[in-house]
């Protein structure tokens, strides 16, 4: 069986992550086309051929795909085969391992640990489905190494690497709302952390569960999990600080102002003396600037007017070239924080405009859809005409993917 080209896989991924059938995609392509396309059945046949790699899209359809998905031609149809890249990544480590004396070896472990850091640093700028593929390949490699000869120290380092990779995979699954897979990954990460006696991974597992509960509207459960993460994680570690932030968010959603501000104060006390890490974009390393983002989110959920100033600062930082460069995915999420804060200060017009920018960016992940719907509901309550355009844009881009969302949208 011939291998499906990488661009065909990317076309299929972009469609399925929006929850569209091939018929839905045909409608969307017709909407963005400059001319009347052939009848739907003809377009669907083209889409089917494109996604199975039978025919590469011609210039017209390639442009339509790029326009619809908000991606460059290089990003969508570049000649770099993602699977080949993944294989090269692993093969480079494997070649170094075979040059060593043992089945694992110091150099292999160091390169594997560097790869784990690279993957965690890629999280803010990489679509979760794409990153998940890379993480799974590295997990497969860790499993192979665990079956080989190794010292006790090498065995523990492999367990730690596997724990971080399982945790990152769980995070991607939650972004994609693939909750059973996420739960399995979190259980594995927790077990590896237990075997390796590595409590920070254990703390991150509970914090990640708290984040998922928060996105599902289970605020009391999120608060309990966040506090459990703080009990497990090393004091003042990144997991401990992040869990404190999740606790503050949960209190905010429950409308508990005193408890919310107490959590924010604890975070500020911990992060104020911290230096900026070498890789601030690393998902599992807390940096002082992250506290601003958490403050913006938390205060916006609490309805505090001060959230507007924080949210504007965070958005400007995420779009700047400083501190690790622009982080477009986080910036899209930060726009939702700013929009919710603007609603609380009775500025629904700007809130709607900011949310439309986030929606049209194509960078929001499924775990953020409920936040968009909350802002849309707030804009609609003010009876603005812009609400119609905003809701229609949301339905076109994300509507079908959000059908599984909980209907509860407010605290």
């Amino acid at each position: 069986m011939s291998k499906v080209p990488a661009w065909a896989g990317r076309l299929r991924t972009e469609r399925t992550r929006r929850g569209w059938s091939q018929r839905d995609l045909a409608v969307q392509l017709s909407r963005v086309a400059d001319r009347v396309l052939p009848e739907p059945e003809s377009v669907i046949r083209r889409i089917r051929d494109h996604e199975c790699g039978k025919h590469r899209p011609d210039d017209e359809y390639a442009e339509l795909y790029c326009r619809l998905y908000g991606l460059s031609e290089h990003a969508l149809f570049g000649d770099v085969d993602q699977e080949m890249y993944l294989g090269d990544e692993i093969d480079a480590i494997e070649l170094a391992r075979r040059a060593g004396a043992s089945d694992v070896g110091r150099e292999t472990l160091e390169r594997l640990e560097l790869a784990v850091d690279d993957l965690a640093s890629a999280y803010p700028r990489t679509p979760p489905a794409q990153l998940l593929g890379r993480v799974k390949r590295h997990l497969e490699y860790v499993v192979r190494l665990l079956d080989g000869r190794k010292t006790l120290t090498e065995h523990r380092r492999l367990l730690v690497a596997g724990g971080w990779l399982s945790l990152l995979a769980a995070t991607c699954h939650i972004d994609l709302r693939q909750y059973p897979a996420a739960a399995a990954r979190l259980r594995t990460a927790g077990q590896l952390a237990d075997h390796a006696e590595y409590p920070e991974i254990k703390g991150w597992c509970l914090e990640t569960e708290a984040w998922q509960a928060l996105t599902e509207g289970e605020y009391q459960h999120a608060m309990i999990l966040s506090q459990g993460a703080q009990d497990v994680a090393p004091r003042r570690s990144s997991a401990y600080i992040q869990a404190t932030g999740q606790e503050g968010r949960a209190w905010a959603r429950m409308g508990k102002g005193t408890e919310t501000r107490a959590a924010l104060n604890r975070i500020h006390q911990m992060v104020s003396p911290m230096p900026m890490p070498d890789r601030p974009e690393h998902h599992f390393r807390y940096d002082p600037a992250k506290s601003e983002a958490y403050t913006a989110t938390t205060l916006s959920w609490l309805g505090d007017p001060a959230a507007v100033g924080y949210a504007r600062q965070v958005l400007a930082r995420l779009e700047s070239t400083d501190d690790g460069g622009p982080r477009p995915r986080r910036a899209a999420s930060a726009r939702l924080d700013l929009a919710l804060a603007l609603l609380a200060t009775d500025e629904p017009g700007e809130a709607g405009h900011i949310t439309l920018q986030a929606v049209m960016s194509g960078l929001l992940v499924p775990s953020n859809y409920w936040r968009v719907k909350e802002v849309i509901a707030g804009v609609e309550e003010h009876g603005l005409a812009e609400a119609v355009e905003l809701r229609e844009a949301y339905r076109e881009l994300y509507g079908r993917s959000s059908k599984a969302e909980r209907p509860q949208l407010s605290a």
Side-chain angles (χ1 to χ4, degrees), residues 263-297:
L264 290 176
N265 286 336
R266 294 202 305 274
I267 293 175
H268 293 159
Q269 289 172 6
M270 286 186 283
V271 304
S272 57
M274 289 176 61
M276 181 65 68
D278 292 337
R279 304 180 79 168
E281 70 277 14
H282 196 297
H283 185 62
F284 301 118
R285 291 180 190 164
Y286 203 94
D287 68 86
K290 279 184 182 177
S291 66
E292 293 182 5
Y294 270 83
T295 298
T297 303

Side-chain angles (χ1 to χ4, degrees), residues 103-411:
D103 282 0
V104 182
R106 179 180 59 82
E107 185 174 353
T108 299
L109 284 167
E110 288 177 351
R111 295 188 65 167
L112 180 60
E113 288 161 350
L114 284 173
V116 171
D117 286 338
D118 288 342
L119 291 168
S121 299
Y123 174 77
R125 63 179 184 273
T126 308
Q130 180 180 329
L131 183 63
L132 184 59
R134 294 180 61 192
V135 173
K136 288 164 75 172
R137 286 294 303 270
H138 283 82
L139 276 169
E140 291 168 2
Y141 187 61
V142 169
V143 171
R144 294 210 307 268
L145 292 178
L146 282 170
D147 289 337
R149 295 172 300 174
K150 55 198 171 299
T151 66
L152 287 175
T153 299
E154 291 168 347
H155 181 73
R156 182 176 183 272
R157 288 174 69 179
L158 280 176
L159 292 178
V160 171
W164 285 122
L165 289 169
S166 297
L167 181 61
L168 185 56
T171 305
C172 293
H173 282 304
I174 292 172
D175 274 335
L176 298 168
R177 299 182 69 82
Q178 299 169 349
Y179 293 153
R185 297 287 187 188
L186 286 174
R187 282 194 298 271
T188 298
Q191 290 168 354
L192 293 174
D194 285 338
H195 289 308
E197 297 181 349
Y198 205 92
E200 183 163 11
I201 292 179
K202 193 78 172 180
W204 273 111
C205 288
L206 289 169
E207 185 277 337
T208 303
E209 284 189 71
W211 167 50
Q212 178 183 328
L214 199 60
T215 66
E216 288 293 287
E218 299 171 359
Y219 309 131
Q220 182 74 23
H221 188 45
M223 183 269 293
I224 293 171
L225 286 168
S226 298
Q227 292 178 342
Q230 293 169 66
D231 290 338
V232 170
R235 189 81 173 176
R236 294 181 178 272
S237 65
S238 291
Y240 184 93
I241 300 172
Q242 188 91 350
T244 305
Q246 296 293 15
E247 180 189 348
R249 286 174 157 184
W251 285 124
R253 296 301 287 179
M254 291 188 285
K256 303 292 186 180
T258 301
E259 292 85 349
T260 299
R261 291 184 174 84
L264 290 176
N265 286 336
R266 294 202 305 274
I267 293 175
H268 293 159
Q269 289 172 6
M270 286 186 283
V271 304
S272 57
M274 289 176 61
M276 181 65 68
D278 292 337
R279 304 180 79 168
E281 70 277 14
H282 196 297
H283 185 62
F284 301 118
R285 291 180 190 164
Y286 203 94
D287 68 86
K290 279 184 182 177
S291 66
E292 293 182 5
Y294 270 83
T295 298
T297 303
T298 305
L299 292 181
S300 67
W301 287 355
L302 192 61
D304 190 319
V308 174
Y310 279 104
R312 292 193 193 280
Q313 292 175 21
V314 169
L315 182 57
R317 179 174 56 79
L318 291 173
E319 293 184 324
S320 75
T321 56
D322 300 328
D323 297 335
R327 278 157 272 185
R329 258 185 60 199
R330 286 185 181 173
S333 180
R335 281 188 164 81
L336 300 182
D337 290 334
L338 177 55
L340 192 59
L342 289 166
L343 284 176
T345 57
D346 200 27
E347 299 175 75
E350 186 179 358
H353 176 69
I354 291 291
T355 304
L356 184 61
Q357 288 180 332
V359 169
M360 297 305 293
S361 72
L363 295 169
L364 295 176
V365 296
S367 60
N368 267 327
Y369 294 171
W370 67 277
R371 299 174 66 192
V372 178
K373 294 181 72 175
E374 188 164 87
V375 177
I376 292 174
V379 174
E380 287 179 334
E381 285 180 3
H382 288 79
L384 297 183
E386 292 90 335
V388 176
E389 179 186 6
L390 178 56
R391 180 168 287 280
E392 184 61 27
Y394 171 76
R395 282 176 176 159
E396 288 181 359
L397 291 176
Y398 304 112
R400 287 183 174 270
S401 297
S402 64
K403 281 187 176 179
E405 291 181 45
R406 294 169 62 94
Q408 180 181 358
L409 294 175
S410 59

Side-chain angles (χ1 to χ4, degrees), residues 69-97:
Y69 293 141
L71 296 172
S72 68
E73 186 170 354
H74 176 74
L76 200 53
F77 298 103
D79 291 332
V80 177
D81 187 316
Q82 180 68 13
E83 288 301 315
M84 183 182 297
Y85 168 69
L86 295 176
D88 289 345
E89 206 170 20
I90 299 297
D91 289 345
I93 301 176
E94 176 67 4
L95 180 60
R97 180 190 73 79

